[in-house]
Amino acid sequence: MAHGADPYADIDFDEITENTGLAPDEIKCLKVCFDLFDTKKVEFLSADDLGEIMRAMGFRPTEEELADLLHEVDEDGSGEIEFGEFCQLCATFLVEDPPLEEMKKELKDAFKLYDKEGQGFITNDTLREIISELLAPLTDEEVEGILDELDEDGSGSMDFDEFCEMMMTKQE
């Protein structure tokens, strides 16, 4: 690199962000990594070195994940990974999966299914039906125990935030 030259001048940040969800500082960090691995300065990395590169960056993809990722990104099968493709690969490990906003939208849609009147909450009666259906067979006592646990504030209903908390903590 020449002194004073912008090492990021050739990067289309908007395009990479749109394709990967990566922030500009993450892209710059990946460029530094890419350049370190591109020892021959040929502007691409060899697919054969991909596993070693990903592990050196702290990612732990399985061989199967590597093969899938490579197939996904190296569409022409050239075995050469350019910087944009490298960002796509790394984004798979860097970007939260699924993105929180997307998850909240899905939860909102699920919440609306049970909040039939659009009141902004699900009644304990509706929750009782859902729990009985999903976790059958349960005794009435067990269902009530679960309801008591879920309805922490004793309001007799569950609002969207409580619903999100329940759904996000129970998914393990």
Side-chain angles (χ1 to χ4, degrees):
M1 266 183 275
H3 286 286
D6 180 359
Y8 312 115
D10 297 337
I11 299 173
D12 184 343
F13 286 97
D14 292 338
E15 183 183 342
I16 292 174
T17 297
E18 189 178 312
N19 291 337
T20 63
L22 293 169
D25 357 341
E26 292 172 313
I27 297 168
K28 286 180 179 180
C29 182
L30 289 178
K31 178 64 175 157
V32 171
C33 293
F34 182 87
D35 289 345
L36 287 173
F37 293 119
D38 180 18
T39 53
K40 297 176 189 145
K41 304 297 173 221
V42 288
E43 298 301 317
F44 66 84
L45 305 175
S46 165
D48 299 336
D49 301 332
L50 186 62
E52 191 179 317
I53 291 167
M54 298 297 275
R55 282 186 281 283
M57 291 177 63
F59 302 125
R60 301 286 175 256
T62 64
E63 287 304 315
E64 191 178 326
E65 283 175 317
L66 272 177
D68 289 348
L69 286 170
L70 188 58
H71 179 72
E72 202 175 294
V73 205
D74 186 22
E75 290 171 0
D76 60 1
S78 66
E80 297 174 354
I81 300 163
E82 289 83 32
F83 180 65
E85 294 172 329
F86 179 70
C87 286
Q88 277 183 279
L89 278 172
C90 294
T92 315
F93 298 94
L94 289 172
V95 176
E96 283 183 35
D97 200 10
L100 193 59
E101 288 308 307
E102 193 178 303
M103 191 184 289
K104 277 227 174 195
K105 185 194 176 311
E106 287 175 17
L107 287 173
K108 190 88 173 158
D109 293 343
F111 184 80
K112 285 178 183 172
L113 286 175
Y114 300 113
D115 179 19
K116 293 177 177 68
E117 283 82 47
Q119 298 170 304
F121 61 86
I122 300 171
T123 65
N124 277 2
D125 290 339
T126 305
L127 273 175
R128 190 176 288 109
E129 288 172 30
I130 297 167
I131 293 166
S132 300
E133 199 175 299
L134 293 176
L135 302 175
L138 289 177
T139 65
D140 289 345
E141 220 170 80
E142 289 169 322
V143 172
E144 291 308 314
I146 293 170
L147 275 175
D148 289 345
E149 210 174 294
L150 294 176
D151 186 17
E152 290 175 2
D153 61 1
S155 64
S157 63
M158 178 184 281
D159 65 22
F160 180 65
D161 290 334
E162 290 171 313
F163 180 75
C164 281
E165 192 177 316
M166 173 190 79
M167 296 305 282
M168 292 169 119
T169 52
K170 301 297 177 196
Q171 292 179 338
E172 298 213 354

